[in-house]
């Protein structure tokens, strides 16, 4: 498991450890700098990509797990941040903006790609095109969809890497980019604060757009088999989790009661359960829910904050962050909530576990 660890202020490091018992904990990077969260693994599991300001501006780096060496992949005078690695781990998409602005998301930036080793860097958009965000790789790593805001208007764009021609995915003013379906054929997106609000899906070639819901809905996530989408809705007040069949043959199903906020939703790798965080018990706790029977299971049960749950690739384990011992540590438990084990134990704030 890779994770971020913060000691003082904004300083943080990237660390790795064995998933089974937390042994062999190793800091891949050093303190006294900002090393970005959400580390991303290379195809062979020997390197991790992250971003850091150690050289005076934000750059994207890779760290080698075998020999501990680090490489600056971007090496420019601008700030590069928010790297996302393609699912085949061969390429990285990231955002570039003027150095040391400290106002990410508020100034014009550009979307760029490069190979995982930093070669063949290419700008998919222009600086004057607006503020870009929400970059999402297709499952085959051949297309990228993202959001842009320009002169008060938002649009969702798509860039095939073979042509590198960025075009509109939809003419609707979208507010959020959701998941790709696992077969790479469709993209989910959301519209908010208008008479067109709701969750939509559209084929990646720009045809067959369908509106699935009509409420204040967000964060759509496809089931592994592509038949259903889970999403968050505030239609009844607090955020609750709903599921809808993509074929439109049945109404959306409310999975949680929404008495308090619920978030961080993900499907189990086999598609049989949903994993999420709920505050219904007065503090954030981790739950699963069966989208068919609507049975909900509370996995953590304490007065501390439990958050950031992540399925293991085989669906048998869940890593998460807990403040059970007074500071944020990484824990692992069985998918049913049993055998909860703290696998980091230090004075740092550990966060963002990644299998």
């Amino acid at each position: 498991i890779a994770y971020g660890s913060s000691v003082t202020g904004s300083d943080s490091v990237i660390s790795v450890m064995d998933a089974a018992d937390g042994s062999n904990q190793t800091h891949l990077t050093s303190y006294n700098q900002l090393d970005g969260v959400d580390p991303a693994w290379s195809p062979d599991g020997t390197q991790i990509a992250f971003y850091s300001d150690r050289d005076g501006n934000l750059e994207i780096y890779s760290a080698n797990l075998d020999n501990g060496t680090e490489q600056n992949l971007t090496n420019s005078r601008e700030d590069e941040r928010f790297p996302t690695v393609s699912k085949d781990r061969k390429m990285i998409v990231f955002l570039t903006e003027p150095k040391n602005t400290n106002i990410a998301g508020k100034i014009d930036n550009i979307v760029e790609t490069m190979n995982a080793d930093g070669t063949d860097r290419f700008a998919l958009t222009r600086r004057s095109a607006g503020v870009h965000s929400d970059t999402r790789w297709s499952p085959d790593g051949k297309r990228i969809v993202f959001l842009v805001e320009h002169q008060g208007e938002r649009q969702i764009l798509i860039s095939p890497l073979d042509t590198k021609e960025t075009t509109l995915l939809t003419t609707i003013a979208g507010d959020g980019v959701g998941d790709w379906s696992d077969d790479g054929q469709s993209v989910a997106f959301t519209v908010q604060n208008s008479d067109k609000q709701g969750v939509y899906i559209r084929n990646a070639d720009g045809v067959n757009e369908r509106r699935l819901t009509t409420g204040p809905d967000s964060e759509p996530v496809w089931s592994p088999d592509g038949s259903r989408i889970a999403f968050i809705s505030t239609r009844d007040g607090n955020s609750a989790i709903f599921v809808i069949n993509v074929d439109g043959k049945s109404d959306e199903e409310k999975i949680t009661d929404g008495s308090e906020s619920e978030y961080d939703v993900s499907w189990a790798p086999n598609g049989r359960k949903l994993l999420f965080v709920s505050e219904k018990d007065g503090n954030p706790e981790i739950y699963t829910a069966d989208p068919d029977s609507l049975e909900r299971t509370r996995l953590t049960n304490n007065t501390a904050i439990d958050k950031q749950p992540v399925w293991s690739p085989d669906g048998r384990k869940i890593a998460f962050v807990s403040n059970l011992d007074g500071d944020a540590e990484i824990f692992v438990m069985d998918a049913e909530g049993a055998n909860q084990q703290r696998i980091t134990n230090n004075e740092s704030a550990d966060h963002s576990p990644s299998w």
Side-chain angles (χ1 to χ4, degrees):
I1 295 175
Y3 61 100
S5 186
S6 301
V7 171
T8 59
S10 61
D11 292 343
S12 63
V13 298
I14 303 297
S15 303
V16 294
M17 61 185 168
D18 293 344
D21 57 7
S23 61
N24 298 318
Q25 294 183 24
T26 304
H27 292 323
L28 296 183
T29 62
S30 303
Y31 289 113
N32 302 319
Q33 62 215 10
L34 169 64
D35 290 338
V37 300
D38 299 330
W41 291 91
S42 66
D44 57 5
T46 63
Q47 298 189 67
I48 289 177
F50 62 97
Y51 65 97
S52 173
D53 66 354
R54 64 186 62 188
D55 292 321
N57 62 298
L58 289 171
E59 303 273 16
I60 298 173
Y61 291 77
S62 66
N64 188 296
L65 274 65
D66 292 332
N67 56 31
T69 59
E70 300 167 17
Q71 179 184 359
N72 186 336
L73 299 179
T74 48
N75 198 21
S76 77
R77 297 181 179 180
E78 296 189 294
D79 280 346
E80 291 94 4
R81 62 176 82 207
F82 308 129
T84 305
V85 181
S86 60
K87 291 189 177 182
D88 61 9
R89 308 300 189 189
K90 294 180 179 180
M91 297 195 68
I92 299 173
V93 63
F94 57 97
L95 301 179
T96 301
E97 59 196 38
K99 176 182 175 181
N100 296 333
T101 56
N102 294 319
I103 50 174
K106 298 181 181 180
I107 61 170
D108 284 0
N109 55 13
I110 58 177
V111 180
E112 295 194 69
T113 61
M114 62 182 172
N115 292 334
D117 62 1
T119 59
D120 293 336
R121 181 170 173 169
F122 185 85
L124 296 175
T125 63
R126 296 176 292 106
R127 176 84 65 194
S128 60
V131 180
H132 301 84
S133 61
D134 262 7
T135 54
R136 305 291 180 99
W137 283 100
S138 64
D140 62 6
K142 295 181 179 180
R143 291 165 294 181
I144 302 168
V145 66
F146 52 90
L147 181 70
V148 62
E149 183 173 356
H150 184 57
Q151 296 179 345
E153 295 186 0
R154 290 186 173 187
Q155 295 177 316
I156 297 173
L157 306 177
I158 187 168
S159 289
L161 296 190
D162 55 352
T163 65
K164 294 184 171 62
E165 294 181 359
T166 299
T167 59
L168 283 174
L169 177 69
T170 172
T171 57
I172 298 176
D175 290 287
V177 179
D179 237 357
W180 285 80
S181 59
D182 269 11
D183 63 8
Q185 297 300 307
S186 301
V187 179
F189 66 95
T190 58
V191 177
Q192 299 173 352
N193 304 319
S194 77
D195 58 357
K196 295 182 179 180
Q197 68 180 2
V199 175
Y200 291 73
I201 59 173
R202 190 177 183 97
N203 286 5
D205 59 7
V207 300
N208 297 327
E209 181 172 282
R210 288 198 292 127
R211 184 182 186 181
L212 298 182
T213 72
T214 59
D217 308 326
S218 61
E219 302 178 39
V221 184
W222 291 83
S223 62
D225 65 2
S227 66
R228 295 184 285 186
I229 288 178
F231 60 93
I232 300 290
S233 180
T234 57
R235 63 186 67 182
D236 298 323
N238 291 315
S239 58
I241 300 169
F242 288 73
V243 168
I244 190 168
N245 286 347
V246 174
D247 61 15
K249 294 182 178 180
S250 62
D251 293 334
E252 57 223 44
E253 188 85 53
K254 190 174 183 180
I255 306 300
T256 62
D257 57 25
S259 57
E260 297 294 339
S261 294
E262 288 150 345
Y263 45 91
D264 284 354
V265 184
S266 62
W267 290 89
N270 63 12
R272 296 176 183 174
K273 289 185 178 181
L274 291 165
L275 177 67
F276 60 97
V277 176
S278 175
E279 298 183 7
K280 64 177 297 182
D281 302 297
N283 66 299
E285 299 283 2
I286 298 171
Y287 283 75
T288 57
D290 184 320
D292 296 315
S293 69
L294 304 185
E295 179 182 358
R296 295 190 293 272
T297 303
R298 182 174 174 177
L299 303 184
T300 59
N301 192 350
N302 54 64
T303 58
I305 294 174
D306 300 312
K307 59 184 179 179
Q308 297 179 6
V310 184
W311 293 100
S312 64
D314 62 7
R316 298 174 61 185
K317 300 282 187 179
I318 296 169
F320 64 100
V321 174
S322 179
N323 284 54
L324 184 62
D325 298 314
D327 67 328
E329 303 281 2
I330 307 294
F331 285 68
V332 169
M333 61 183 166
D334 294 343
E336 295 76 25
N339 299 316
Q340 296 186 19
Q341 181 181 7
R342 183 183 63 194
I343 55 175
T344 65
N345 187 7
N346 52 61
E347 297 179 356
S348 306
D350 300 328
H351 53 85
S352 308
S354 174
W355 292 88

